[in-house]
Amino acid sequence: MHRDAHVLAGINRILQEALRASTEEELGQLCLEVAEDLTGAEFSFFGERRESHDRLDHIAISERGWAAYGGDDPDFKQRQLPNGMKIHGIFGQVILQDRSLIVNDPASHPDRVGTPDGHPGLRNFLGVPLRRDGETFAMFALGNHPTGFTERERAIAEELAPAIVQALLRKRAEMASRASERRLRSLIEGIPQLVWTATREGQWTWASAQWVAMTGLSVEESLCDGWLAAVHPEDREAARRFWESASENGNLGMEGRLRHAQTGRYRWFKTRATPVHDDHGRIVEWFGTSTDIDTLRRLRERQETLVAELQHRVRNILTIVRSIFTRTVESGGPIDEISDHFRGRLDSLARTQVVATQTRSGKVDLENLIRDELLGVGAIEDDRLSIEGPDVALPADTAESIGLAIHELTTNALKYGALRHPTGRLSIAWGIEHKSNNKCELIVKWDETGVPAMPVPPVRQGFGTELIREALPYGLGARTRLDFRGGGVLCVVSLPWHVDNADPVNRSAEG
């Protein structure tokens, strides 16, 4: 009874203290220490059979075993466990024969193969197999009892064996669980989504670090219904109904806004929840993620706006093209002349569209617009030409009409005015004028001088005249003046102007 009590205490020590061991080696040393204390052995080791079954890896060597070593092997001096030992010799018989073995005269044993250099001299030996699911997978061996091992020590060691196996497998399961938790934590902390768990009824039980960083709510503040504090007030009722639509087999999904702790603004998130079922198919909890879709949603809204604007622009352009064609044909004349006029006006319209699409704002720089028209007729380097005005960005629809007007004035100047005669001069200037009623006007002035012939106003109103005198006032709310003077044409266009329209266009971005 006295001996059994010591063995029982040793077993309890292995099972209890093993829980505090941080590694398999630490656990193995504890088991070996208990075995040495109960059997009187001077040293011991604990090894496991590899899957290949022909080699043994050490799990632990007892502290007494390390202390008894007297060789020069640097691995032993650094307490590096020897692995890959061939299963043979006396210790190998324990595994190969799957039974405990006592050898009190190792020197004469037929299976003796000797000991490594520095290994303490082996006077006697006791080896015990460790079994899992009825198969030997490991062993522990005790060496050098003062008077030799007996059946008493064998019985003690065999009683310890199941506890050692249980402690080892429990430690491995615990370590695997911790490793799995670490991997899961690393995975969760490495993804951009906000992650959380909730009970079957939708009461939050946990929230990830991403949620805490995003919302500023701690895990404790987010539990139960606390997470609703981060939801936009207008979306909270929908968030409550989120759980009412839960089914036994389905997933949950919704879009809502969450408050960003650092900026104070709300961002759109796509939230999904997946049910976790027990063995009977019942929902026991929910695993949820909230993904930031704010940028994507704003891009989608911007895309919808751009598509609508594009449709509107296409309709407007088609209307302008139809009007240009109709007025060009109605002006009469040879077909070649009609074709040239129509082509020139379409080219002018196309140039405006190209410039508008090259800027992020979709606006057109007024000076670039004017210079492009003059460049098209080779007049941009003419020293008789003066172009002056501040940076002004025109909305695309305004630029279309102004561009056509500049085109008509340029064509007229080439045929009859300042760009035809060597003595002619052309000044194009514009500026923003502030009126007394806090309103502004953009005033564009086309002034030809030095034309020798006395211009005669056209007998019938052509496309250019109608565009400047009627279309610009009607379409843009402009005030216009078009005079066919002696010495050249004078045209002044005054447009209602808003301060936010005056943002300059980055010419370098336009190439």
Side-chain angles (χ1 to χ4, degrees):
M1 291 295 294
H2 181 67
R3 180 180 62 192
D4 292 341
H6 282 295
V7 173
L8 182 59
I11 292 173
N12 288 335
R13 182 184 172 193
I14 288 174
L15 296 178
Q16 292 176 10
E17 294 188 19
L19 297 175
R20 293 192 289 271
S22 58
T23 64
E24 287 187 9
E25 183 180 6
E26 187 177 335
L27 169 64
Q29 287 188 323
L30 168 66
C31 296
L32 294 175
E33 181 182 334
V34 172
E36 290 172 349
D37 289 345
L38 291 175
T39 63
E42 291 183 3
F43 55 81
S44 57
F45 81 85
F46 183 1
E48 181 177 17
R49 192 177 196 173
R50 285 186 179 179
E51 291 184 0
S52 61
H53 285 203
D54 62 342
R55 299 285 172 174
L56 189 81
D57 290 340
H58 279 69
I59 292 177
I61 294 176
S62 70
E63 286 293 337
R64 296 170 187 172
W66 289 115
Y69 177 75
D72 296 326
D73 189 329
D75 286 341
F76 266 90
K77 290 185 177 181
Q78 296 174 18
R79 299 175 67 100
Q80 295 292 323
L81 290 171
N83 291 321
M85 292 179 58
K86 185 178 180 181
I87 298 178
H88 65 166
I90 296 174
F91 85 88
Q93 296 305 308
V94 177
I95 294 178
L96 296 175
Q97 297 182 24
D98 189 23
R99 65 181 180 86
S100 300
L101 178 65
I102 295 177
V103 179
N104 284 322
D105 186 14
S108 62
H109 195 280
D111 293 310
R112 177 176 173 82
V113 293
T115 57
D117 179 46
H119 190 285
L122 189 65
R123 300 191 304 272
N124 45 61
F125 170 87
L126 169 59
V128 178
L130 300 176
R131 299 182 180 92
R132 176 180 59 198
D133 299 330
E135 181 179 350
T136 296
F137 76 100
M139 66 167 292
F140 70 97
L142 306 166
N144 291 3
H145 187 279
T147 60
F149 290 105
T150 67
E151 290 300 320
R152 172 183 176 274
E153 285 78 34
R154 183 205 298 264
I156 292 174
E158 289 180 345
E159 287 186 62
L160 292 177
I164 293 174
V165 172
Q166 182 180 349
L168 177 63
L169 297 182
R170 182 187 299 172
K171 175 56 61 179
R172 287 183 172 176
E174 175 191 336
M175 293 173 64
S177 176
R178 288 180 179 176
S180 178
E181 289 178 2
R182 287 195 298 270
R183 288 193 296 270
L184 180 59
R185 188 181 305 111
S186 298
L187 174 64
I188 290 176
E189 292 176 353
I191 63 177
Q193 286 85 359
L194 318 182
V195 186
W196 44 269
T197 59
T199 66
R200 179 176 177 175
E201 293 75 24
Q203 302 292 303
W204 277 29
T205 55
W206 173 81
S208 69
Q210 295 95 316
W211 168 270
V212 175
M214 162 66 193
T215 65
L217 296 177
S218 67
V219 175
E220 292 73 20
E221 291 171 329
S222 304
L223 299 181
C224 296
D225 290 330
W227 57 274
L228 282 169
V231 179
H232 193 287
E234 295 178 2
D235 297 333
R236 287 175 187 170
E237 185 58 33
R240 292 188 181 94
R241 293 197 304 269
F242 177 76
W243 294 105
E244 297 176 3
S245 60
S247 64
E248 288 295 319
N249 299 312
N251 296 336
L252 301 177
M254 69 165 288
E255 292 185 6
R257 288 161 289 181
L258 297 176
R259 186 179 182 274
H260 192 286
Q262 294 183 352
T263 64
R265 64 176 293 267
Y266 287 89
R267 297 183 63 84
W268 283 95
F269 279 78
K270 174 72 174 182
T271 295
R272 295 183 177 89
T274 302
V276 179
H277 299 89
D278 61 16
D279 294 338
H280 302 287
R282 295 186 294 260
I283 294 178
V284 293
E285 68 174 341
W286 292 86
F287 182 85
T289 60
S290 297
T291 305
D292 191 329
I293 60 169
D294 193 76
T295 301
L296 180 62
R297 187 180 177 105
R298 294 181 187 280
L299 286 174
R300 186 172 61 199
E301 293 173 352
R302 174 60 177 160
Q303 183 183 42
E304 292 172 353
T305 301
L306 288 175
V307 169
E309 291 177 354
L310 177 61
Q311 292 173 340
H312 176 72
R313 299 268 304 128
V314 169
R315 286 194 297 268
N316 282 351
I317 291 173
L318 290 176
T319 300
I320 293 172
V321 171
R322 186 183 300 112
S323 174
I324 291 173
F325 177 76
T326 301
R327 295 298 297 124
T328 302
V329 172
E330 288 177 351
S331 65
I335 188 64
D336 291 344
E337 184 177 333
I338 293 175
S339 176
D340 288 342
H341 284 309
F342 183 63
R343 185 183 300 110
R345 289 158 183 165
L346 283 186
D347 288 345
S348 174
L349 185 63
R351 284 192 293 271
T352 303
Q353 301 308 311
V354 169
V355 175
T357 56
Q358 288 178 339
T359 59
R360 181 175 300 179
S361 64
K363 295 184 177 182
V364 179
D365 181 74
L366 176 57
E367 182 173 347
N368 283 345
L369 181 68
I370 294 170
R371 290 185 178 275
D372 282 348
E373 286 296 335
L374 294 169
L375 183 62
V377 297
I380 195 64
E381 301 298 334
D382 200 319
D383 58 6
R384 299 171 298 160
L385 179 63
S386 170
I387 301 176
E388 185 178 5
D391 287 344
V392 171
L394 299 174
D397 53 353
T398 301
E400 289 166 357
S401 299
I402 296 297
L404 283 173
I406 297 296
H407 172 75
E408 295 300 317
L409 291 168
T410 301
T411 301
N412 185 77
L414 277 171
K415 288 184 176 182
Y416 312 110
L419 297 180
R420 179 181 179 183
H421 298 281
T423 58
R425 295 291 183 271
L426 172 58
S427 171
I428 307 172
W430 63 91
I432 306 295
E433 286 193 5
H434 296 269
K435 301 298 181 180
S436 58
N437 54 1
N438 292 326
K439 293 184 178 181
C440 297
E441 280 189 340
L442 169 63
I443 300 177
V444 182
K445 184 178 181 181
W446 176 287
D447 189 6
E448 297 180 28
T449 58
V451 179
M454 177 72 70
V456 178
V459 177
R460 58 194 300 268
Q461 184 167 278
F463 175 82
T465 303
E466 181 179 339
L467 171 69
I468 294 171
R469 288 180 174 170
E470 298 180 15
L472 294 185
Y474 177 79
L476 304 179
R479 294 184 294 107
T480 63
R481 173 186 174 187
L482 180 61
D483 295 339
F484 294 90
R485 309 170 304 175
V489 172
L490 172 67
C491 178
V492 181
V493 178
S494 301
L495 290 169
W497 199 249
H498 299 286
V499 175
D500 57 354
N501 285 341
D503 298 333
V505 172
N506 185 349
R507 294 195 183 99
S508 62
E510 298 171 359

